[in-house]
């Protein structure tokens, strides 16, 4: 069984910062891409940022220059440093990881439970 556990959400004022963490645990052979998505009320879930196991990153245009994704492969953990936060960043943030549980099978997509990020004065 594989689990992704997120932490670090909360309420901050516009212009503030937050750091999200997501740790994968369980029966893991390897982790390929990891990423963060977000979903605001009434909207679809969109990609915020992703990172390959080699460290290549990709960002949504709306967060470029403000958010930084990183990962610690030894800890099976991905981070999202969010700076200069805006009210429009308010959403539930979900961690995603493409995980291979053994050498004979391909990767499967796993999701965290989500963590609320609210930007408000």
């Amino acid at each position: 069984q594989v689990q992704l556990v997120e932490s670090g959400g909360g309420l901050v004022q516009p212009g503030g910062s937050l750091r999200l963490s997501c740790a994968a645990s369980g029966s893991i052979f390897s982790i390929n891409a990891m990423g963060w998505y977000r979903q605001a009320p009434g909207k679809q879930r969109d990609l915020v940022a992703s990172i390959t196991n080699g460290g290549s990153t990709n960002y949504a245009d709306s967060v470029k220059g403000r958010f930084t994704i990183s990962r610690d492969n030894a800890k099976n953990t991905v981070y999202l440093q969010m700076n200069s936060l805006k009210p429009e960043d308010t959403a539930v943030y979900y961690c995603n990881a493409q995980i291979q549980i053994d050498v004979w099978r391909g990767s499967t997509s796993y999701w965290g439970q989500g963590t609320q990020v609210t930007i408000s004065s």
Side-chain angles (χ1 to χ4, degrees):
Q1 192 77 0
V2 173
Q3 282 190 317
L4 299 182
V5 178
E6 300 145 344
S7 60
L11 169 65
V12 296
Q13 293 185 342
S17 297
L18 279 174
R19 188 190 194 211
L20 306 183
S21 300
C22 172
S25 63
S27 179
I28 297 172
F29 174 73
S30 68
I31 302 178
N32 298 316
M34 303 183 82
W36 290 94
Y37 291 70
R38 67 186 181 187
Q39 187 168 21
K43 296 190 176 181
Q44 66 182 21
R45 189 176 298 187
D46 292 325
L47 176 69
V48 175
S50 64
I51 184 167
T52 67
N53 54 8
S56 297
T57 58
N58 179 52
Y59 295 93
D61 288 343
S62 60
V63 306
K64 283 180 181 177
R66 299 188 298 122
F67 291 11
T68 302
I69 190 170
S70 61
R71 65 190 282 174
D72 184 333
N73 291 331
K75 296 181 178 180
N76 291 338
T77 299
V78 62
Y79 306 96
L80 185 68
Q81 178 66 45
M82 305 186 292
N83 298 328
S84 302
L85 284 161
K86 304 175 181 179
E88 51 263 44
D89 295 318
T90 296
V92 178
Y93 284 68
Y94 296 91
C95 171
N96 176 268
Q98 304 297 317
I99 295 175
Q100 191 174 355
I101 62 171
D102 59 46
V103 68
W104 299 281
R105 280 175 269 196
S107 297
T108 298
S109 181
Y110 291 86
W111 292 91
Q113 79 284 0
T115 185
Q116 177 69 46
V117 171
T118 303
I119 313 304
S120 175
S121 54

